[in-house]
Amino acid sequence: MSREMLVEMAKNNIAHGDAGTIPQPDEILKVPAANYYDETRWQQEMKQVFKRMPLMMAMTAEVKHPGDYKAMNAGGVPVLISRTESGAVKAFVNMCSHRGAQIMDEGCGNTHRFTCPYHAWSYNVEGDLIGVYAPKDFGDVDKSQYGLTELPCLEKAGLIWVTIDPNSTLDIDLFLSGYDELLSHFGFEDWHLFASQRVEGPNWKIAYDGYMDLYHLPILHKNTFGPDFPNQAIYYSWGPHQRVAGPMKGLKEMLGDDDAKWPTELLVAGVWTIFPHVSIAGFDGGGRAVMISQLFPGETPGTSYTIQNYLMEKEPPDEASRKAALDQFDFLRYVVQEEDYATGLKQQKALETGAKDHVLFGRNEEGGHNFHRWVDTILDTSDEDLPKLFKTG
Ligand code: FES
Ligand SMILES: [Fe+2]
């Protein structure tokens, strides 16, 4: 079913490529400039978007085996993700039940138990409290009541979503709106994480706008991707999640008539964004790869950071492919840090002057229309009505 959808999208891209057209919304969209710097607005986004929406926090490749774990911060919440003995994935607040210390340092590893560095209380990988240090001195504790606080968590398509507010009632499957089925055609559960790195950026929405924007490619990236890079985009949505693909001129000849034989690799080309903060873009450096960029808000409206993950279909088999993968990864850091985010940080400063009332998203920037409308809608929706915004795919 979802492969048919991929084929349909490819046919649509081909038709637009041949006709030299793109689908466009009727109007240019105005977005208030203050949305990028206003403190109150930003606090609302943290609370209503980042706390209530599931976030794509980890890749299966990072926690493949029982006992594998990943500790990280998201929206100010320390999170611990673990692969249990039964092979399921669980997520917890990375906080000890004794007096609240953070248990594991940020990073990935493998362990049988999580031991708190403060007074050595320990938990198994299922999150149960299994050891209290010096129990005779401490006094009686009902261990069954003092496990780690579990967070809603779902693993699909080789990716792991976690909701960082344990009280959020939005079902993760519902939120995905069937998008995970499309993503499953990559087969990420068997891919290999080659490397990750962190890049500092401006307001999370300024940073994220760039991932849905092909309009800027031959201009801002004229010295890296090159001035001839195609910059027209076709957007497809599943709930708030969007795929960005280019109209594919000449692709029909490449693919042939029998769509059953069209390679999946070509069918999933382009950029896949996962609302509200992830972009997946295909590359070929040292072998087939994607850059999975996870954006997180910083501590102020004007800051964010992005974890860039270079996920490869296969581990590079030799030194030459390893070197090619490293070069590609470094090139992508350069493009994002020195071109996209360097521009975004200056854009942030300019917007903060308040000299402009609004910014514009053109009829060729439909991804920005969809994204900003979704953020606005979510901010206007109560907890109770939130599930009504989504429908399963
Ligand atoms: S805070 Fe963790 S053992 Fe005391
Ligand atoms: Fe860019």
Side-chain angles (χ1 to χ4, degrees):
M1 173 62 195
S2 55
R3 187 188 152 85
E4 285 163 25
M5 225 182 259
L6 288 173
V7 168
E8 279 314 306
M9 285 187 273
K11 287 183 176 166
N12 189 47
N13 297 346
I14 290 166
H16 278 291
D18 291 346
T21 53
I22 47 167
Q24 290 177 309
D26 293 338
E27 308 281 345
I28 289 173
L29 177 76
K30 292 181 181 176
V31 170
N35 284 10
Y36 291 107
Y37 61 83
D38 180 76
E39 177 79 33
T40 310
R41 161 91 190 193
W42 183 77
Q43 295 287 1
Q44 282 170 349
E45 289 170 355
M46 294 307 97
K47 195 164 159 251
Q48 310 265 80
V49 179
F50 277 86
K51 292 256 160 77
R52 296 196 299 178
M53 300 297 116
L55 304 174
M56 202 294 280
M57 301 271 278
M59 290 145 278
T60 299
E62 292 176 284
V63 286
K64 258 193 182 153
H65 309 291
D68 283 354
Y69 70 87
K70 178 182 185 184
M72 63 186 295
N73 265 281
V77 178
V79 175
L80 178 60
I81 296 167
S82 100
R83 175 81 57 192
T84 67
E85 296 303 333
S86 69
V89 169
K90 283 191 172 185
F92 312 99
V93 181
N94 180 16
M95 174 171 68
C96 183
S97 304
H98 174 217
R99 281 203 276 121
Q102 291 192 26
I103 301 166
M104 303 304 283
D105 287 337
E106 275 187 46
C108 291
N110 182 278
T111 190
H112 290 299
R113 57 169 64 191
F114 303 120
T115 303
C116 180
Y118 202 174
H119 315 89
W121 282 31
S122 59
Y123 305 83
N124 63 18
V125 292
E126 326 283 325
D128 307 313
L129 175 62
I130 52 170
V132 170
Y133 172 61
K136 287 204 190 86
D137 297 337
F138 190 86
D140 281 344
V141 178
D142 178 358
K143 289 207 196 78
S144 72
Q145 298 302 304
Y146 288 95
L148 301 175
T149 302
E150 196 165 344
L151 295 170
C153 174
L154 183 70
E155 182 175 38
K156 282 277 179 86
L159 304 170
I160 296 164
W161 281 265
V162 177
T163 309
I164 57 177
D165 177 359
N167 301 314
S168 172
T169 51
L170 179 60
D171 180 78
I172 303 180
D173 217 12
L174 180 66
F175 163 79
L176 290 177
S177 315
Y179 192 54
D180 52 295
E181 264 206 51
L182 279 300
L183 292 175
S184 70
H185 288 277
F186 282 96
F188 287 146
E189 55 276 15
D190 299 319
W191 286 36
H192 164 78
L193 181 62
F194 178 71
S196 300
Q197 61 197 356
R198 174 174 163 140
V199 184
E200 305 299 321
N203 175 275
W204 72 278
K205 297 198 302 301
I206 289 190
Y208 202 50
D209 285 341
Y211 291 90
M212 290 166 287
D213 165 8
L214 304 192
Y215 183 35
H216 77 286
L217 292 181
I219 315 299
L220 184 61
H221 302 307
K222 59 183 177 302
N223 298 323
T224 45
F225 291 138
D228 299 328
F229 213 86
N231 71 339
Q232 287 187 307
I234 301 174
Y235 298 91
Y236 300 92
S237 315
W238 294 261
H241 317 295
Q242 303 190 65
R243 177 194 185 184
V244 191
M248 298 176 170
K249 199 164 170 45
L251 184 72
K252 182 84 181 158
E253 293 68 43
M254 221 161 109
L255 290 172
D257 287 333
D258 184 1
D259 60 38
K261 293 199 181 125
W262 291 2
T264 307
E265 191 173 333
L266 284 177
L267 294 178
V268 297
V271 177
W272 297 77
T273 67
I274 305 174
F275 188 85
H277 72 138
V278 167
S279 145
I280 303 174
F283 292 97
D284 204 333
R288 186 182 177 207
V290 291
M291 176 71 108
I292 301 189
S293 306
Q294 300 167 287
L295 280 77
F296 293 100
E299 300 197 343
T300 59
T303 57
S304 68
Y305 63 94
T306 299
I307 310 295
Q308 298 185 314
N309 304 283
Y310 200 64
L311 193 68
M312 303 188 70
E313 187 175 27
K314 297 193 174 62
E315 195 168 350
D318 50 41
E319 211 30 57
S321 353
R322 218 186 123 65
K323 166 93 173 53
L326 269 179
D327 288 349
Q328 177 71 24
F329 189 48
D330 196 52
F331 171 77
L332 292 169
R333 181 204 52 76
Y334 179 86
V335 170
V336 171
Q337 185 169 295
E338 306 300 334
E339 295 182 343
D340 290 305
Y341 289 4
T343 302
L345 286 162
K346 288 192 271 183
Q347 183 186 359
Q348 178 80 40
K349 291 286 167 240
L351 289 168
E352 284 173 5
T353 63
K356 297 263 185 230
D357 169 69
H358 60 265
V359 296
L360 300 172
F361 284 81
R363 294 181 59 208
N364 56 345
E365 300 181 280
E366 191 182 354
H369 294 223
N370 297 333
F371 170 62
H372 288 275
R373 288 213 173 99
W374 266 97
V375 174
D376 285 348
T377 304
I378 288 167
L379 293 189
D380 282 344
T381 305
S382 67
D383 289 355
E384 196 190 354
D385 288 340
L386 201 57
K388 294 182 201 152
L389 297 180
F390 302 90
K391 54 180 190 305
T392 38

